[in-house]
Each structure stands twice: as C-alpha cells, then as structure tokens.
Amino acid sequence: MSEQPYRHETVEREVQQYWSDNRSFEVTENSDRPKFYCLSMFPYPSGQLHMGHVRNYTLGDVIGRFQRLCGRNVLQPIGWDAFGLPAENAAIKRNIPPAEWTYHNIEYMKGQMKALGFAFDWSREFATCDPDYYRWEQWFFTRLFRKGLVYKKAAWVNWDPVDQTVLANEQVIDGRGWRSDAPVERRELSQWFVKITDYAEELLGGLDGLDGWPEKIKTMQRNWIGRSEGVEITFPLPRDAVADQEAITVYTTRPDTLMGVTYLAVAAQHPVARAAAGSNPQLAAFLEKCNQVKVAEADMARLEKEGMSTGLEVIHPLSGERVPVWVANFVLMEYGSGAVMSVPGHDQRDWEFARKYDLPIVQVIAPAAGSDSTCDLADSAFTERGVLVNSGDFDGKTFQAAFDAIADALVEKGLGERQVNYRLRDWGVSRQRYWGCPIPIINCGKCGAVPVPDEDLPVVLPEDVEFEGVQSPIKQMKSWYETRCPVCDGPAERETDTFDTFMESSWYYARFASHNTHDAMLDERAKYWTSVDHYVGGEEHAILHLLYARFFHKVMRDEGLLETDEPFEKLLALGMVLQNGKKMSKSAGDAGDPQHLMDTHGSDAVRMAMMFAAPPDQAFEWSENGVESANRWLRTRLWNSVVDHVAAGATEPLDASRLTDTQRDLRRLTHETLAKCQDDYARRLAFNTVVAAVMSLMNEVSRFEDNSPQGRAVVGEALTAAVMIMSPITPHICHVLWEKLGLGAIEEAQWMPVDEDALQKTVVELIVQVNGKLRARIELPPGTPEEEVVAAAREQENVEKYLVDTTIRKIIHVPDKILNFVVS
C-alpha cells in the first residue's frame, strides 16, 4: 500500500481551491491560440443535480478539457435557465415567491457543480431571471415588432388545464403537456406570435451544412419544418351563398386527384361554417362540440372522425360541378386555410369519413402499367401515385405530368396558383403564468399595441408577490400594469402575459460571450466566440430549443449582432440515463442524487463511472456499483502506481536506442494508447473506450517488473501518459499526480505527441492456416517477404503435417497478418 493513501475529499477540495485561486478557467478573447467554444445546455435550477445533469456536464467538460490540452483557447460558460412553471408551481406549493425558491436552488446546485470539478468560467455566470439579462430579450422583441416579425391575433391554441397556460405545438407530446403530462385542450385566445415561418426556407436549407449534427436530429427538424410543393386551389361559392365570402381556398400536394373531389371539409371555426350555423341550430351545436373537444393537434389522427353538412356547396374549379361543404372535426383552422379538398378514392382519412356519411367515392387514379399494386375502393383508398382515369382531358397522365397540367389549367382560369407550403407554424410566445419575462408591450385604447421605449427597459417583473391559486399575480396588480401610453400619453395597460421560456434559451449562448456589457445586447466578443464549436445536450430538444435557437441566431445575424449563419457547429445529442429500463426523471422521483456518491467515493469516481458506462449518444442503465469500482481503480491502480513510482526516486532520461524488447513493448503500448485515445476524444467521442484503453495500459504497467534505469524511465512515460489521458475525465486526481510527477500544473499542459518510431514493432504475429483452419502462430519481423514467411511456416510441425501428401493449390498471404495454404 502507498505511504500516501488517496483521500478523495482532501484531493478534490484542495484542487478546487487551486482552480478558484488561480482563476484557471477564465478566458479572454486576446489569445494567440485558436478559440474553442464548448457549451452544455444550461440547467433549470430545480433544486439539486441529478444523474442526467452529471452526464451532460461531465461530457461537455471532457470535451472542453481535451481541447485545452490540444492548445485551444477554450470558453466553457455556465448559467441558469431560471424562469418557468416548475419554479412557480413549487413556490405556490411552499407559499414563497418563485424568485426566492429559484435563487436558493441556484446556490445549492452551483456548489454541487463546483464539487464535480467542471471547468466553467464562473465569471460569466448569469440567470435568465436577472433583469440585466432579460432587458435585452425585451429590447430584441421590440426590434422584431418594428420589423414586422411579431404580431398579435386571436388563435386556437393548446391549453394546459393543469399549468393554466398556452403551449406551443412543439410542447405537446402525444396530446399531453410536456411538463404537466395533462391532456391538452383547444381554446381561442389572443396571443403574441413570432414569425419563424419567414425563415422556414433558410432553416430547412441550413440543415444541409450542419455536418457536425446527428442525422437523426436534422431529420426531425426537416420533418417539423415540413416543406411541400403544391397548388392553392379556389373553389368559388355560388353568388350570395355566404355574406362576405366568395370562395373557399384549399392547399394540396396532390392536384392530380382534383377530379376526384366529392366534398370539401372545413374546420369548425371556418367563416363559412360559422355563417352556415347562423341559420342551422343543429350545426351550431356541432360547432360548439368541436370547439370543446379536449384534443391537441398531435392527437387529431387518432380522433374519431365526425362531421356535419353545412348545407352549402362550392363550384368545382375545372368541372363546374357542385361540391358539398362539410364541417369535419379533424380539420384545424390554424393550418392552411382551415379547409381541405376531400378525395375519398385516394386518401384514407377522406375514405373513412365518406363511408361513415355515405358520400361519393370516385376513382381518378389507377395503378401504373407494370405495377403490382391493386385498387379496390370498396376495401380502402388507393393512395399511391399512378395514372389518371375518369379525369377528362387529363386521363392517361402520370403524376408529374398531371400535376403540371392541372396546375396550369387552374392558373389560366384564375382559380389556382403553385405554392410552397410549410408544416411549421409561427411561434406562439405568450404565456399566462407569472414567472417569466414580461412582454414589453403597452396596450393603448387609442394607439393599439405600442412597444416599450428603449429607455424604459427593462420592464421588471415584481419578485415579492403572493399567489391566489395559480393565477398570475401581476394580472391583479394595478400598480404594475396601469401605465401611460408612450405615444399619446393616455391611460394604458402593460401586457400581463409573459414570454415562453424558450425565448430566454434561444440566445443565451451568445450572451455568455458578452456577459458584462451593459449598453448592448451583444458586443464584438460575441462575433469572436460564435458559433459554438461543440454543443452538448439531450436529443429531446431537437425541435423545441434547437430550432428556436437557430431562428434567433439568424435574426440576430440580420440585425448585425452576429456574423455566422448557425449557432452550433457540432452537436452531441445524449442518450438517456435509464433505471429499470425507464428514463430517470425528477418528476418520477428516481432521477438519482449524485451527492451521496460524491461524498462516499469522490467526484472523480462519479465522473469516471458515468463516462465508462456507455458511449455518449447511447442510452444506458445506470448502476451505482460502477462508482465504487471507479474509486477502487483510481486509488489502487492510478494513484498508488504514480505515488510509488515517484517515491522510488528520480529516473534517468528515456533513451529509445537502449531499450530492451520488453521495454520497447511497453513503450509501444503507451504510444498506441496515446494515439487511440486522441482519436477517441477528438473524432469518435468514445470516452468509454478512453477509460478502457488506460485501464489496459495500467494493467501492463502493474505487470512490468523491470526496475532498471531505462525500465523505470519507460514506466514513468507510461504513467505520465495515463495521467494526462485521464485528466479530462478525472481532473482532480490527475492534477495532483501530474504535480507529483514534477510536471507542473496540468491545466497548462499540452497533449503528449505520439512517437511514430515507438509504434514500430520489431516482430509481428502471423496466423498460419491450412484451408482456413488455424494451425500455428509465428513471429517474424514486420515486412518479411512471402517466401520467408512460407519457409518459417513449414518449419512448424503442426503445419507441415497437414501439407504432407497434398497439393498446394494456392497460398494466400496478407502481410504481417495471415498465411493460408489452400490444399487438396
């Protein structure tokens, strides 16, 4: 046992104090080294860290520390995504203001993060609930207002009945609120929207250049943006059929099926439906029923399809025939025009609706010649592309030819135009709860919605509040919301809704670069640091946060605040931490508290166990046993080996020309490990195999019994490599061991170069086979000519006996690896 036993409490406390005293991880832009911005998605201050946090921030820290070893100027900041419903709900439960609960949690979690040894630049820390932060978010919103990129309108929204607030479409998961898990309802409310759709094409096209993003994430964003090419078609209404409504427009990607339209389906909120209901009490009751259905957009496909005729008809734009108009509960008003053309012969949903209500089903598409497909409309709709039938002049045309011909015919008649549409909707950013950034708008009865002037920003959210239920207290605070209009000086009221918290997290990465500027949202430092070189976080943010951040970045670029097109060059999307096959979650009470593991086994052991458990992008089953094993290895293998080696005295310089074969073998393994781990860190991000490789190296060191001067020199090099390689993963113990090896501060070290000469082998092992079966193993110098290899192989008794009385048909030789005799 070492005379200096490893005590993680002492080591970690002293090293963390060293980092703090020396401000080891604070960086500036004035550096000759290339910049590297490494960022892990900042945490919500929920109260304490869980194992998901440990994985997320350890992975980011490993990447940042490795890049620092590679000589880069590394920025790795941290802050707090502090607004949001969990804090508000927890505060209501505890009868304290959300601000008090939030700041308390931040202090506790900050202590845990420092104890885990993350190399954060704490000088840049901020919380999004700080007025100094959200002031610039409000300022930016007023710029979007003036540019016409925000607007307010009444809209049907997703309403969370538990959290009592609106949810964006992206925040509804399988029909339930993403935080409360409550079934979402549909309500009509006046909301503020940001016109993310103005950037839809650029958001889609930009994905092609994100080579450092997982393809899965890019596919999810492509599908959410949902670009489609189609035709907007106008179905005229008969004269005076509906007041102030001359036609119904629809959008379709299948104009080839236009001659098969047998009814139009409109949303319950469509003006035509409402007009028809004015004289039809039964229809009015049906519309009211549709409006009260507690189903979100994501669940519409599973909803039982119900409808009712409006009694109205439209005129088919090409045939001139009358087409009935129905109200259908599966049509959403906020998508497109709130109306769809229904082709039951070639759309399964339309087919099911037509069968239920005995509406005509007409075939206008037949399987193409040579196709194995069949069309039986009695059984189901035929949804494939094919050849047009029963379509007059368009008969016989294939999909694209029919698309073009029908589109041209509609354009010629003034009843249609080609159009590119997107599934993406504008981003609803209004929330009806208290703990969020106030929307910087003043509502004036005379002037309408007026942005708060720059000199009056920030609009500060009152923090000393009391709740009555879940109602936002600022909606009752006349002293806060009553104000004067900045345009006419008349009486006015502040907007009492707050921003969706994704507004804060959509630009925080840029603010870290300009954290202490007080007269601008961002300064020139943001242009130095952005884009983020490597971003780390869960793949569950693929659509929500990552899409919004990409949008914000492009708008900030257009405002001259940034110069790059994308916020994140590389993205590491983490797999989930599981327990009993399920995601560990705080809400379920099984998120895992790392504190007792840190106290018992040390933060380095927790970090090492987490990195060793699985590759970063894979989900894995968490086991606390791995932490105990990691502590044991750090103590007995790494610490004791280095301490004992140093205690034995100084070593003479390593002289590669004097090494024995055994010494050369260990040195070769050292440099093979260096090369492999450098690739694992930089390219593969396979940190589990980094740990495995160092374990293998240390196993060889423990078996190496050569105490000669050069033998000790080779061991010293191996230990130096092992400590350096492990330092991004277990930084505390490696900091101390690096000093014990007499190498100074590892935070200032550079990655050890790989000695290519050391990788050269004096002998290689070749497999000798006869007809593919292993018969011997032989050792020869690398590059031995084939004839010498054959001769050496035939000297092996177990090879030669299988060659006697045979004919050698062929010899297969893979240099330095295999020799195979093919005989008969």
Side-chain angles (χ1 to χ4, degrees):
M1 178 178 290
S2 169
E3 295 182 2
Q4 301 176 42
Y6 171 59
R7 292 187 172 86
H8 67 81
E9 310 94 323
T10 303
V11 166
E12 291 173 2
R13 182 177 63 253
E14 291 179 352
V15 172
Q16 288 160 18
Q17 189 61 52
Y18 172 90
W19 291 335
S20 178
D21 292 344
N22 289 273
R23 302 162 73 178
S24 298
F25 308 117
E26 293 184 21
V27 293
T28 66
E29 298 69 36
N30 302 317
S31 172
D32 294 332
R33 297 176 295 168
K35 73 94 178 175
F36 190 91
Y37 187 174
C38 180
L39 181 65
S40 297
M41 295 180 185
F42 64 167
Y44 184 82
S46 56
Q48 62 188 32
L49 297 183
H50 55 66
M51 298 315 299
H53 287 129
V54 174
R55 190 182 201 203
N56 186 57
Y57 299 113
T58 302
L59 284 166
D61 197 48
V62 168
I63 292 170
R65 285 178 179 273
F66 170 73
Q67 292 295 334
R68 188 174 284 107
L69 282 170
C70 293
R72 292 179 174 84
N73 186 32
V74 177
L75 170 61
Q76 192 178 192
I78 190 66
W80 307 94
D81 191 9
F83 276 137
L85 283 171
E88 187 170 332
N89 290 339
I92 292 171
K93 184 178 180 179
R94 293 164 175 78
N95 197 30
I96 58 174
E100 179 182 334
W101 188 83
T102 299
Y103 294 135
H104 175 270
N105 290 348
I106 286 174
E107 284 308 304
Y108 182 78
M109 293 175 70
K110 182 176 180 178
Q112 287 186 300
M113 283 188 160
K114 288 189 172 183
L116 279 161
F118 299 137
F120 294 140
D121 182 348
W122 285 102
S123 71
R124 297 172 186 261
E125 177 195 14
F126 59 72
T128 58
C129 61
D130 185 338
D132 286 341
Y133 178 81
Y134 66 72
R135 166 193 179 184
W136 296 108
E137 182 177 321
Q138 293 173 338
W139 174 87
F140 194 59
F141 184 82
T142 65
R143 294 304 177 277
L144 298 183
F145 182 94
R146 294 185 175 100
K147 287 169 67 76
L149 285 173
V150 298
Y151 61 92
K152 190 174 188 179
K153 72 169 185 178
W156 287 87
V157 296
N158 303 308
W159 179 261
D160 189 316
V162 171
D163 284 335
Q164 292 285 293
T165 191
V166 167
L167 302 178
N169 289 330
E170 297 89 336
Q171 294 167 316
V172 179
I173 311 299
D174 294 329
R176 293 177 176 270
W178 72 303
R179 287 196 183 277
S180 71
D181 199 39
V184 171
E185 303 173 8
R186 304 289 292 170
R187 287 194 181 182
E188 188 175 31
L189 293 175
S190 184
Q191 299 285 293
W192 282 100
F193 291 86
V194 176
K195 296 178 71 174
I196 190 173
T197 52
D198 277 15
Y199 284 76
E201 190 66 37
E202 188 179 355
L203 287 168
L204 185 63
L207 292 168
D208 294 335
L210 293 176
D211 297 331
W213 282 41
E215 196 58 43
K216 177 182 178 181
I217 303 297
K218 292 192 288 185
T219 297
M220 291 170 73
Q221 286 209 6
R222 286 190 185 100
N223 291 341
W224 189 259
I225 296 168
R227 185 184 191 276
S228 65
E229 295 184 6
V231 178
E232 185 181 73
I233 303 174
T234 299
F235 286 78
L237 282 156
R239 186 183 302 274
D240 300 327
V242 179
D244 300 322
Q245 192 83 21
E246 297 181 354
I248 297 176
T249 60
V250 302
Y251 172 80
T252 181
T253 59
R254 292 292 305 272
D256 58 317
T257 66
L258 178 58
M259 304 308 289
V261 172
T262 61
Y263 63 98
L264 293 194
V266 299
Q269 304 84 26
H270 195 284
V272 168
R274 290 180 172 182
S279 58
N280 186 338
Q282 190 176 5
L283 179 60
F286 178 72
L287 299 189
E288 182 63 24
K289 176 184 176 182
C290 290
N291 291 338
Q292 292 178 352
V293 171
K294 298 179 179 180
V295 176
E297 176 208 343
D299 270 356
M300 282 294 181
R302 296 188 289 270
L303 182 69
E304 181 182 355
K305 297 164 187 64
E306 294 185 334
M308 181 174 290
S309 174
T310 64
L312 299 173
E313 294 179 323
V314 291
I315 301 170
H316 192 285
L318 294 185
S319 72
E321 296 179 357
R322 297 296 181 102
V323 178
V325 179
W326 281 64
V327 177
N329 64 347
F330 55 79
V331 182
L332 296 176
M333 189 62 214
E334 62 267 32
Y335 271 74
S337 64
V340 297
M341 69 178 211
S342 299
V343 187
H346 305 288
D347 181 280
Q348 188 61 28
R349 180 193 61 189
D350 297 346
W351 183 89
E352 292 170 3
F353 190 87
R355 293 275 291 198
K356 180 174 182 177
Y357 292 104
D358 198 25
L359 294 167
I361 300 175
V362 177
Q363 180 182 0
V364 294
I365 305 292
S371 170
D372 294 332
S373 300
T374 59
C375 175
D376 182 0
L377 298 188
D379 183 56
S380 65
F382 178 70
T383 59
E384 298 177 25
R385 295 177 179 180
V387 177
L388 271 65
V389 296
N390 301 323
S391 297
D393 294 340
F394 307 108
D395 281 358
K397 294 185 181 299
T398 57
F399 169 76
Q400 193 59 54
F403 186 114
D404 293 337
I406 291 174
D408 290 345
L410 290 167
V411 170
E412 185 177 345
K413 296 186 69 171
L415 294 175
E417 62 178 356
R418 294 173 185 263
Q419 209 173 70
V420 174
N421 269 18
Y422 298 91
R423 180 178 181 270
L424 180 68
R425 300 293 106 189
D426 282 337
W427 176 13
V429 296
S430 296
R431 297 296 179 266
Q432 290 64 49
R433 294 294 291 267
Y434 154 75
W435 188 234
C437 171
I439 297 177
I441 293 292
I442 292 172
N443 297 306
C444 173
K446 179 179 177 182
C447 304
V450 179
V452 174
D454 292 357
E455 60 271 20
D456 293 337
L457 295 175
V459 178
V460 177
L461 183 75
E463 293 188 353
D464 186 14
V465 296
E466 294 182 1
F467 283 86
E468 294 181 9
V470 297
Q471 177 76 26
S472 172
I474 62 175
K475 293 183 182 294
Q476 312 300 322
M477 294 174 62
K478 287 188 176 183
S479 61
W480 184 82
Y481 69 72
E482 287 186 343
T483 186
R484 310 295 296 183
C485 174
V487 175
C488 70
D489 198 37
E493 293 185 357
R494 296 190 186 281
E495 181 70 61
T496 57
D497 281 356
T498 54
F499 279 136
D500 176 9
T501 54
F502 282 105
M503 288 282 285
E504 284 86 69
S505 60
S506 292
W507 70 284
Y508 78 105
Y509 63 91
R511 183 64 184 180
F512 278 134
S514 307
H515 64 291
N516 56 1
T517 187
H518 300 296
D519 56 2
M521 182 180 186
L522 302 174
D523 58 24
E524 290 299 309
R525 292 175 294 175
K527 295 177 181 178
Y528 170 83
W529 286 112
T530 58
S531 301
V532 173
D533 293 278
H534 215 140
Y535 198 38
V536 180
E539 69 173 31
E540 66 269 21
H541 299 291
I543 293 172
L544 292 161
H545 162 59
L546 291 173
L547 184 63
Y548 294 152
R550 294 183 61 224
F551 164 67
F552 248 65
H553 191 90
K554 295 175 189 302
V555 181
M556 289 190 291
R557 174 206 61 197
D558 292 347
E559 282 292 298
L561 298 169
L562 299 172
E563 293 178 341
T564 57
D565 294 330
E566 294 286 346
F568 315 119
E569 288 294 324
K570 287 186 177 180
L571 174 67
L572 176 55
L574 309 186
M576 294 185 293
V577 182
L578 307 177
Q579 191 167 66
N580 300 321
K582 297 180 179 179
K583 179 183 178 181
M584 298 178 77
S585 70
K586 190 175 180 67
S587 60
D590 61 358
D593 180 3
Q595 192 62 52
H596 75 282
L597 296 172
M598 294 158 61
D599 293 341
T600 305
H601 302 295
S603 294
D604 279 341
V606 173
R607 292 170 59 119
M608 177 178 168
M610 187 61 79
M611 294 300 95
F612 190 44
D617 59 347
Q618 293 184 13
F620 73 98
E621 189 77 17
W622 171 247
S623 170
E624 294 188 356
N625 294 335
V627 182
E628 182 179 356
S629 299
N631 174 276
R632 186 185 311 114
W633 185 87
L634 290 171
R635 183 179 69 252
T636 61
R637 271 285 190 264
L638 192 62
W639 177 274
N640 288 351
S641 296
V642 173
V643 169
D644 292 347
H645 175 78
V646 171
T651 61
E652 65 178 37
L654 190 151
D655 184 349
S657 66
R658 296 166 51 197
L659 300 183
T660 66
D661 287 348
T662 304
Q663 293 166 351
R664 200 172 286 113
D665 286 344
L666 179 58
R667 186 161 193 258
R668 182 173 60 252
L669 179 59
T670 296
H671 286 268
E672 287 174 346
T673 304
L674 274 169
K676 170 183 169 45
C677 292
Q678 185 172 13
D679 185 58
D680 286 347
Y681 272 134
R683 182 181 64 86
R684 297 181 62 237
L685 302 179
F687 307 143
N688 57 320
T689 59
V690 168
V691 175
V694 177
M695 285 180 169
S696 296
L697 175 61
M698 291 304 298
N699 286 341
E700 291 304 313
V701 169
S702 69
R703 288 192 282 263
F704 191 77
E705 298 180 349
D706 184 348
N707 288 316
S708 68
Q710 282 301 297
R712 294 195 67 246
V714 169
V715 168
E717 183 184 45
L719 293 174
T720 299
V723 171
M724 186 203 67
I725 293 169
M726 286 298 294
S727 66
I729 296 173
T730 55
H732 303 90
I733 190 173
C734 291
H735 174 98
V736 173
L737 294 179
W738 195 257
E739 285 187 336
K740 289 184 179 297
L741 288 166
L743 299 172
I746 198 167
E747 292 76 23
E748 304 302 322
Q750 297 287 299
W751 186 266
M752 288 174 62
V754 176
D755 187 339
E756 296 295 332
D757 291 337
L759 298 177
Q760 302 304 312
K761 296 181 178 180
T762 56
V763 295
V764 293
E765 183 182 76
L766 284 88
I767 303 297
V768 182
Q769 300 173 329
V770 178
N771 286 343
K773 293 184 178 180
L774 175 65
R775 298 306 181 191
R777 300 175 187 269
I778 59 175
E779 291 186 345
L780 294 170
T784 300
E786 181 176 324
E787 58 272 19
E788 295 181 23
V789 176
V790 171
R794 298 198 67 161
E795 291 176 1
Q796 303 296 311
E797 181 180 347
N798 197 47
V799 173
E800 187 61 25
K801 73 179 182 180
Y802 287 100
L803 300 180
V804 174
D805 298 329
T806 67
T807 300
I808 299 177
R809 300 293 183 185
K810 187 177 183 180
I811 296 177
I812 301 172
H813 177 221
V814 180
D816 298 340
K817 292 183 179 180
I818 296 174
L819 184 74
N820 182 25
F821 294 96
V822 180
V823 303
S824 61

